[in-house]
Structure formats: C-alpha cells, structure tokens
Amino acid sequence: MADRTIRVLLVDDHQVVRRGLRTFLEVQDDIEVIGEAGDGDEGVARAEELKPDVVLMDVKMPGTDGIEALRKLRDLSNPARVLIVTSFTEQRTVVPALRAGASGYVYKDVDPEALARAIRSVHAGHVLLQPEVAGALLSQDEPSNGTGRGGSLTEREREVLGLIADGRSNREIARALVLSEKTVKTHVSNILMKLDLADRTQAALWAVRHGLTS
C-alpha cells in the first residue's frame, strides 16, 4: 500500500485552511500530506524540493498567486498534478487557473470524501471540468488554437482524444481500447504535438469544441 500513497503538498496563505485540509486528508490511508507552503513562490520551491504527486493550490495569495505559481511549475516541467482549492466561484479566477495547467478545481467547503476523490482522480490522470467552466473555457478559447490540424489525427488518435475529453486516465483508455499504457502515452504525445496543445486540459477542450466527446 505504501508505494501507492499519493503524496500531497498544500499551498495556501491561510494557516487555518491548510490545517483544515490536512485534517481532512490525515484519515485517508492512501494520501499523505508531505508539506505546506504559504504563498506561490514557496509552493513552487517546495514542489521542486519534495516532488509531490498532487499540489492543492489556492488561487488568491499575496505575492505570487496560484496562477503564476502554476505557470512556473509548468515552465520547470514539474510533473505534479495541480488541483485548485478555491473559495472563488467566478470564472475569471477558475478559468485562468485551468489555462495555466491546473488539472481541475474544488471549493474550500468541499466535503472531505469528495476532496479525497478529487485528489485520486487528478492523480490518475483525469481532468476535472465542471460543465459551466468547460463552457467558459470554450467560449474564450482562441478560434485558431488547433483549428485545421484535426485532419492530421489518425482514427485511433481521435478515439484516444475523445476518451481524454470524457475524463479517462491513460490506464482507463488503455483498457477501453485494448492497448498498452505505453501505447496510449505515445498517442497522447502525438495528439498534443499535432494540435500544438500544451496539456490534457487543452486537448479535452479541443475535443469538446470539435464534437469528439461521447
């Protein structure tokens, strides 16, 4: 069990919030909180030091906020999946975070079991997009982003892309298409390259826009 423990870093400027999140997660056998940070810069440094699997990141913090911290982690090619934990429901805060590379978001009043499920989900490779936020992302998306490149996708790559948009992890895609995970990873890399997209979130949005979801 120990080798499957999900290592989590908490990044929030309010100590009481970090304490609450830690309390939520301490009762989960498969989740371990390995560190905390009080702002974006410290969060980036701790993520580089501790190599967490998942970072729970606040959006609004003094100094370097969560969105800028996300960009820095992406520039550093840090492999941690970032789950935004926010009290802000405005699309103007959530949408930029997802564009910056977040794998999804939850609200600070989330039920403990729902938080644990969200962590497991993003760790497994899912993209957590609520319908209203997905719609906002699509409406603000640059029309030229990937447009015209879809014809270069193979039929198999289109199948994989549709399953990404459905929130499937590589393992689940491999099972659904009777492929190895390594083959799925290759397909995902090819999809991102052909469509000139940065990550799975952008790929999922492209698929929604072009009608590849089930």
Side-chain angles (χ1 to χ4, degrees):
M1 174 66 74
D3 61 341
R4 288 184 284 177
T5 299
I6 303 171
R7 304 169 73 250
V8 173
L9 172 68
L10 307 178
V11 183
D12 193 292
D13 59 316
H14 293 103
Q15 185 177 11
V16 67
V17 173
R18 299 199 305 271
R19 186 180 301 125
L21 290 171
R22 181 182 283 274
T23 300
F24 282 178
L25 300 174
E26 281 179 342
V27 299
Q28 305 296 325
D29 292 336
D30 59 337
I31 297 174
E32 176 188 7
V33 176
I34 60 169
E36 301 181 14
D39 59 50
D41 279 333
E42 185 184 5
V44 171
R46 295 287 278 166
E48 286 294 286
E49 172 194 355
L50 299 173
K51 307 299 181 189
D53 300 309
V54 175
V55 178
L56 298 189
M57 180 89 72
D58 189 15
V59 176
K60 297 293 186 181
M61 294 182 287
T64 297
D65 64 13
I67 295 170
E68 183 59 29
L70 273 160
R71 294 189 181 114
K72 289 183 177 183
L73 286 173
R74 189 164 66 180
D75 289 345
L76 291 167
S77 299
N78 190 293
R81 306 278 289 175
V82 178
L83 181 64
I84 292 295
V85 183
T86 180
S87 57
F88 295 85
T89 59
E90 299 96 334
Q91 293 172 352
R92 65 183 181 183
T93 58
V94 175
V95 169
L98 292 168
R99 286 192 179 283
S103 298
Y105 71 95
V106 294
Y107 297 125
K108 287 183 178 178
D109 60 355
V110 65
D111 155 300
E113 286 302 319
L115 175 62
R117 287 195 300 271
I119 290 171
R120 295 183 188 110
S121 183
V122 298
H123 179 250
H126 293 285
V127 176
L128 298 182
L129 288 176
Q130 298 297 324
E132 68 276 11
V133 173
L137 281 160
L138 286 169
S139 67
Q140 296 177 17
D141 204 13
E142 290 295 330
S144 62
N145 191 19
T147 300
R149 299 192 177 100
S152 65
L153 297 176
T154 66
E155 187 59 35
R156 179 63 85 187
E157 286 166 353
R158 292 175 72 84
E159 288 179 319
V160 170
L161 183 54
L163 291 170
I164 290 173
D166 289 339
R168 305 287 190 92
S169 66
N170 284 352
R171 178 173 299 178
E172 290 170 331
I173 294 171
R175 189 178 301 122
L177 299 180
V178 195
L179 300 170
S180 70
E181 280 193 66
K182 182 177 180 181
T183 298
V184 172
K185 287 179 182 179
T186 299
H187 284 315
V188 173
S189 296
N190 289 340
I191 289 165
L192 297 179
M193 179 185 66
K194 288 180 178 181
L195 298 180
D196 192 24
L197 302 174
D199 52 38
R200 292 174 77 97
T201 301
Q202 291 185 5
L205 293 170
W206 192 98
V208 170
R209 163 170 285 188
H210 292 85
L212 296 186
T213 54
S214 59

